[in-house]
Amino acid sequence: MDTIKQYIEKNKNRFITELIDLLKIPSISADPAFSQDVLNTADSIMKALKEAGCDKVELCETPGYPIIYGEKIIDPNLPTVLVYGHYDVQPADPLDLWDAPPFEPVIKKTELHPDGAIFARGACDDKGQMYMHVKALEYMTSEGNLPCNVKFMIEGEEEVGSESLAWFVPKNVEKLANDVILISDTGMIANDIPSITTGLRGLSYVEVEVTGPNRDLHSGLYGGAVANPINILSKMIASLHDENNHITIPGFYDKVENLSQEERNEMAKAPFSLESYKNALDIDDVYGEEGYTTNERNSIRPTLDVNGIWGGYTGEGAKTVIASKAYAKISMRLVPNQDWEEITTLFKSHFESIAPDSVKVKVTPHHGGQGYVTPIDSIGYQAASKAYQETFGVTPIPQRSGGSIPIVALFEKELKSKTILMGFGLNSDAIHSPNEHFGIWNYLKGIETIPYFYKYFSELHK
Ligand code: BES
Ligand code: MN
Ligand code: MN
């Protein structure tokens, strides 16, 4: 029988080729132009799960993109691990900022990935990380050492809010019954400093529209006499933070959980260099809420950010105009206990209340989700920790992430189980950005670590 290390050594070229083939399909869920590609990706996942040894694989139709479900039940008395991942990816634009086309994967070495990294949209988020689980399953089934039952649920709408999955999960509580949920869709601190994600932020995403006059106006004839929606929108947005970078929406912080100084001290022990952080982003200074460190600002504190703003003339040259309308897309990252629907309502009423009478304001909520925290004394966390110790040789650090996977809170509510977030990407892997990549070392390390999670989870479950 091969150990996982030997198995990887023998099969790694095939593992890489298979992932590259998956990355060639542009499964962009946000853009209907790619719907056939999203569907084709779902088919590929089905095939991969069958080949990896699932006994039953199903394409579950939903009002949106299908959910791929697969399982291998070896003994109903043994514990069950439910693996979740997503096969959809973010849009690839701006395309001209990619060094190679986003759906023609290339392998290149980087400073942090001396063994090479696969560059493609979805390489890290989440095709590469999801596929590690498929290959880990292949190892366990082909070597006959799968120690427990396994279920896979891979969706195609994570990047657009998981609406169909939120519809599917409550209807399939029995089918999805499990003892722990395992997800690789986050990151870790560094290749020699593994970490396990213990928290995710929630999200409220809104779009605002400010309307001034009923048509675009000559800025000389009307300028100064009527409200310019772009000026007004800018002022309104600026007023959403005070001089200490606190968010000014009344009630916004009411439910924010304040961590004890002890917990904050514990968090501060995670290795972090402000200098390299600034260098990597080419900024002279960081910026954020008064009284909190960089790592606190992007994990345990809520935020409000404009994600896009538009209106008026943005073409070549100059056009003297006062636009009739101005728009912005705004996201708020939330922390556990803040309810995203409540925050959306607070935002809406505040934003409407600060608008002067000279404009009309429309706030349209997009999607959202609750934050998540998971304890480190669960057997799931302990099993993950032991798995990393086995393959990295060090104890992983628990760390809260700033990103969101809104469906995780719903899993806990509906399926009553904890999620373990074993991410193998790095923050510098440029997810959602041009030149997204995933280290080959990280990909193979993930495949190597996952079977140990199964092993230790089954042992600790007894
Ligand atoms: N995998 C990410 C979330 C993530 C990345 C969490 C890294 C922690 C570390 C996921 O695909 C994602 O992009 N989520 C969105 C939210 C979603 C509703 C569009 C996000 O965080 O912006
Ligand atoms: Mn993801
Ligand atoms: Mn994503």
Side-chain angles (χ1 to χ4, degrees):
M1 202 174 87
D2 280 348
T3 64
I4 178 68
K5 258 198 148 74
Q6 292 164 330
Y7 192 82
I8 290 172
E9 207 38 56
K10 277 187 197 162
N11 294 287
K12 63 181 182 196
N13 290 334
R14 177 173 56 83
F15 289 175
I16 293 165
T17 316
E18 286 177 12
L19 175 56
I20 285 178
D21 285 341
L22 197 60
L23 290 168
K24 285 181 183 163
I25 323 176
S27 51
I28 303 170
S29 51
D31 186 346
F34 294 89
S35 63
Q36 192 51 51
D37 296 296
V38 183
L39 295 171
N40 292 345
T41 310
D43 287 338
S44 300
I45 304 297
M46 269 191 98
K47 196 166 146 265
L49 283 174
K50 278 183 202 150
E51 284 171 7
C54 281
D55 294 332
K56 187 164 106 183
V57 181
E58 297 169 352
L59 184 138
C60 308
E61 297 287 357
T62 74
Y65 288 119
I67 292 160
I68 304 302
Y69 174 82
E71 65 177 32
K72 184 163 180 77
I73 307 294
I74 55 170
D75 178 351
N77 295 315
L78 287 172
T80 301
V81 176
L82 173 68
V83 176
Y84 162 82
H86 61 95
Y87 63 81
D88 64 321
V89 302
Q90 282 275 320
D93 50 278
L95 289 174
D96 52 323
L97 294 184
W98 286 77
D99 296 335
F103 299 103
E104 293 170 29
V106 289
I107 296 177
K108 270 192 316 193
K109 290 187 167 66
T110 72
E111 206 180 308
L112 292 176
H113 297 297
D115 295 339
I118 306 177
F119 282 74
R121 170 57 85 233
C124 179
D125 184 11
D126 179 40
K127 284 174 175 167
Q129 297 216 69
M130 176 266 296
Y131 208 66
M132 300 179 312
H133 289 268
V134 182
K135 294 298 100 179
L137 176 71
E138 175 195 302
Y139 161 71
M140 291 183 284
T141 58
S142 68
E143 297 293 314
N145 61 10
L146 180 67
C148 58
N149 304 310
V150 56
K151 295 177 177 174
F152 271 74
M153 177 168 67
I154 314 295
E155 71 152 317
E157 293 178 17
E158 196 278 341
E159 299 292 8
V160 289
S162 300
E163 219 179 293
S164 298
L165 191 62
W167 166 89
F168 179 82
V169 171
K171 285 194 195 350
N172 290 281
V173 171
E174 205 62 28
K175 183 193 191 85
L176 302 172
N178 66 79
D179 296 285
V180 70
I181 299 170
L182 185 59
I183 303 179
S184 295
D185 193 22
T186 53
M188 59 179 188
I189 297 175
N191 284 6
D192 56 349
I193 312 168
S195 54
I196 298 175
T197 303
T198 50
L200 293 164
R201 286 195 286 192
L203 181 71
S204 163
Y205 202 112
V206 298
E207 186 165 329
V208 300
E209 181 192 284
V210 174
T211 307
N214 59 2
R215 60 181 171 88
D216 288 6
L217 303 174
H218 187 290
S219 68
L221 297 182
Y222 290 93
V226 295
N228 177 333
I230 302 176
N231 294 7
I232 301 282
L233 175 60
S234 308
K235 258 196 191 173
M236 288 170 75
I237 289 172
S239 80
L240 296 174
H241 290 93
D242 69 13
E243 66 283 3
N244 293 319
N245 276 313
H246 291 302
I247 294 156
T248 55
I249 301 169
F252 186 84
Y253 291 100
D254 282 1
K255 297 197 174 158
V256 169
E257 162 207 32
N258 287 310
L259 268 66
S260 66
Q261 194 53 49
E262 197 186 336
E263 253 182 288
R264 290 175 68 184
N265 293 344
E266 207 46 48
M267 271 187 70
K269 287 186 189 155
F272 176 73
S273 153
L274 193 58
E275 273 321 297
S276 6
Y277 187 84
K278 291 193 288 192
N279 280 340
L281 300 177
D282 197 10
I283 50 175
D284 294 330
D285 205 356
V286 290
Y287 186 86
E289 190 183 0
E290 197 69 23
Y292 295 92
T293 65
T294 295
N295 274 336
E296 290 174 336
R297 286 169 179 169
N298 66 28
S299 63
I300 60 164
R301 298 299 296 169
T303 61
L304 183 152
D305 275 296
V306 178
N307 298 109
I309 182 163
W310 69 103
Y313 183 70
T314 56
E316 285 294 316
K319 179 185 178 194
T320 47
V321 66
I322 293 174
S324 163
K325 286 175 188 292
Y327 307 83
K329 289 184 194 278
I330 298 175
S331 68
M332 288 160 278
R333 295 283 170 173
L334 310 175
V335 295
N337 296 343
Q338 279 184 301
D339 178 74
W340 77 271
E341 285 175 317
E342 205 176 307
I343 292 293
T344 306
T345 309
L346 289 179
F347 176 90
K348 189 173 185 313
S349 42
H350 178 67
F351 206 71
E352 286 165 356
S353 79
I354 60 174
D357 292 341
S358 46
V359 297
K360 296 181 192 70
V361 166
K362 198 165 99 191
V363 177
T364 312
H366 274 272
H367 51 74
Q370 313 295 59
Y372 184 71
V373 264
T374 191
I376 61 170
D377 56 3
S378 69
I379 61 171
Y381 187 92
Q382 294 304 322
S385 180
K386 288 179 78 156
Y388 282 86
Q389 287 169 47
E390 186 83 40
T391 56
F392 286 78
V394 289
T395 306
I397 296 171
Q399 205 193 34
R400 287 212 208 177
S401 171
S404 309
I405 311 178
I407 205 70
V408 172
L410 187 97
F411 288 161
E412 176 151 303
K413 180 165 165 261
E414 298 290 338
L415 305 176
K416 313 271 183 275
S417 42
K418 294 275 173 228
T419 291
I420 303 301
L421 298 155
M422 289 174 57
F424 294 90
L426 301 182
N427 277 351
S428 50
D429 286 347
I431 63 171
H432 294 207
S433 302
N435 302 317
E436 174 178 354
H437 54 280
F438 189 34
I440 300 219
W441 185 90
N442 301 65
Y443 177 52
L444 300 176
K445 207 60 170 174
I447 300 172
E448 184 188 340
T449 308
I450 291 163
Y452 287 107
F453 173 82
Y454 282 71
K455 175 175 179 269
Y456 291 124
F457 185 75
S458 307
E459 285 175 15
L460 291 169
H461 195 79
K462 280 179 190 138

